[in-house]
């Protein structure tokens, strides 16, 4: 059986269920890199140039980890765009080239160019070209693709039910299925969000590959939940809610992930369904530097919702992050207590 290695990093948190389904339907076996450790991060930092952002350094570390495993191919797609007229950050465009130029003795890289900004005809050709490495039957390839899209839609629906990508993917790996006890959170208004309860509700916004990697994020979700806080993430808001928030920008944002984050932040600003927002960005990220600045400016101007701005890099200390989170939560609780009188 052909074995395909997939790095547990970057777009893994967005598209892994679809990738896994597609290749397994074609008879391949999937192996993931190990969960992030200090050694994995350090090995990525060693091969990266200084200007590289933290998530890409981490991706290099996961590639090195996979290199040590018995795999026949490594899957590193070049994702240019996943929707019309919008694009992903340039790092996703150059990822296969950066990896092959910086890391030697790799197994063959499975190339798949995804660019949905224009006509989709070339996209289906790319899918077929990858699929025919495993099957000469075009119908089988088409069915595998169809099932993978359905799997992706089920995954995205689970996230709207209030499950984080980390929880959902962990359940898929360990149980072979998604969690069954999710709560409905769509638009933040059909769940506990928006209702008057004593539970503090905090939105944690940022790229899924930063927030859901427990080593890089220093388990920020668990830390907040341990303080008795209910969390809301970008993935738990519908596209219409994100678009509604992003429509307040003077110009349309052409970065897909940037639009989702800033759209969520703007949508939540005056909705009154969360008590505060934690914005997490990574050091060295160009889009984050702009998106973070725009969000910080409007939150300071409006003064309707407290904002904590956290920047992560490979030198971030867990104690410092925990102290800032505790101080932020204590401040919100004191303000709520004072308001009640």
């Amino acid at each position: 059986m052909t074995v395909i290695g997939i790095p547990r990093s970057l777009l893994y948190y967005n598209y892994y269920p679809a990738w896994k389904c597609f290749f397994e339907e074609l008879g391949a076996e999937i192996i993931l890199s190990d969960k992030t450790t200090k050694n994995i991060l350090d090995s990525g930092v060693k091969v990266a140039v200084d200007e590289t952002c933290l998530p890409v350094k981490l991706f290099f570390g996961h590639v090195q980890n996979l290199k040590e495993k018995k795999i026949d191919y490594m899957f590193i797609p070049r994702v240019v765009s996943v929707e019309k007229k919008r694009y992903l950050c340039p790092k996703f465009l150059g990822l296969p080239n950066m990896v092959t130029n910086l890391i030697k003795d790799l197994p063959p890289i499975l190339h798949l160019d995804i660019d949905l900004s224009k006509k989709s005809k070339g996209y289906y050709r790319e899918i077929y070209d990858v699929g025919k490495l495993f099957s000469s039957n075009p119908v089988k390839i088409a069915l595998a693709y169809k099932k993978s899209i359905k799997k992706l839609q089920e995954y995205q629906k689970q996230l709207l039910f209030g499950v984080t990508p980390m929880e959902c993917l962990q359940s898929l790996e360990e149980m072979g299925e998604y969690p069954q006890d999710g709560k409905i959170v769509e638009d933040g208004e059909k769940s506990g969000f928006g209702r008057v309860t004593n539970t503090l509700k905090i939105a944690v916004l940022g790229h899924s590959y930063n927030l859901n990697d427990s080593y890089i994020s220093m388990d920020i979700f668990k830390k907040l939940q341990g303080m008795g806080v209910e969390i809301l993430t970008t993935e738990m808001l519908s596209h219409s809610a994100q678009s509604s928030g992003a429509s307040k920008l003077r110009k349309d944002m052409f970065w897909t992930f940037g639009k989702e984050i800033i759209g969520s932040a703007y949508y939540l600003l005056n909705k009154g369904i969360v008590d505060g927002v934690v914005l997490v960005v990574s050091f060295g990220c160009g889009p984050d530097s702009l998106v973070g600045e725009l969000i910080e400016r409007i939150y300071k101007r409006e003064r309707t919702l407290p904002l904590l701005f956290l920047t992560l890099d490979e030198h971030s200390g867990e104690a410092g992050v925990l102290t800032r989170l505790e101080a932020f939560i204590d401040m919100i609780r004191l303000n709520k207590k004072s308001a009640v009188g």
Side-chain angles (χ1 to χ4, degrees), residues 137-321:
N137 185 343
V139 176
K140 188 175 182 180
I141 296 171
L143 286 175
Y145 172 72
K146 191 176 178 181
K147 285 185 178 179
S148 71
I149 294 301
K150 186 179 179 185
K151 199 75 178 175
L152 180 62
Q153 291 168 342
E154 290 171 358
Y155 172 59
Q156 292 168 338
K157 189 176 179 183
Q158 283 289 321
L159 302 183
L160 284 174
F161 284 168
V163 184
T164 65
M166 183 195 300
E167 294 168 334
C168 207
L169 293 173
Q170 187 173 344
S171 176
L172 184 62
E173 284 178 40
E174 295 174 358
M175 311 293 291
E177 58 186 17
Y178 298 128
Q180 301 297 316
D181 57 348
K183 58 185 182 298
I184 299 174
V185 170
E186 189 174 6
D187 291 358
E189 292 179 335
K190 294 180 182 176
S191 69
F193 289 96
R195 296 175 193 164
V196 179
T197 68
N198 291 325
T199 305
L200 210 60
K201 305 171 185 69
I202 300 294
V204 185
L205 306 181
H207 294 287
S208 61
Y209 46 78
N210 287 331
L211 296 178
N212 291 282
D213 186 307
S214 58
Y215 183 84
I216 287 297
S217 71
M218 287 167 260
D219 255 338
I220 189 169
F221 292 154
K222 286 186 179 177
K223 282 185 171 58
L224 286 169
Q225 288 164 341
M227 297 175 201
V229 170
E230 193 175 350
I231 60 170
L232 176 76
T233 67
T234 302
E235 295 82 9
M236 297 175 192
L237 292 172
S238 68
H239 286 298
S240 62
Q242 294 169 7
S243 296
S244 167
S247 66
K248 296 172 184 170
L249 289 168
R250 291 183 181 178
K251 284 183 67 176
D252 190 29
M253 180 163 284
F254 56 83
W255 291 316
T256 292
F257 293 153
K259 181 206 164 197
E260 290 174 357
I261 295 169
I262 204 168
S264 300
Y266 280 27
Y267 173 79
L268 293 169
L269 190 57
N270 294 306
K271 277 287 181 180
I273 57 176
V274 293
D275 299 296
V277 172
V278 178
L279 177 63
V280 180
V281 302
S282 53
F283 183 76
C285 174
D288 270 2
S289 64
L290 177 62
V291 169
E293 178 71 17
L294 287 171
I295 293 174
E296 196 172 27
R297 281 187 187 186
I298 195 167
Y299 271 63
K300 281 183 178 176
R301 189 167 65 234
E302 297 286 329
R303 293 177 177 273
T304 55
L305 205 57
L307 173 73
L308 174 63
F309 198 140
L310 289 178
T311 303
L312 301 176
D313 68 11
E314 58 267 38
H315 306 298
S316 295
E318 187 168 359
V321 170

Side-chain angles (χ1 to χ4, degrees), residues 5 40 59 75 84 87 110 133-134 191 197 222 313:
I40 288 178
F59 187 85
F75 182 58
K84 291 190 183 302
Y87 301 88
L110 271 182
L133 293 172
F134 307 92
S191 69
T197 68
K222 286 186 179 177
D313 68 11

Side-chain angles (χ1 to χ4, degrees), residues 42-54:
D42 287 347
S43 67
V45 171
K46 282 180 184 173
V47 298
V49 296
D50 291 343
E51 294 77 12
T52 308
C53 67
L54 176 65

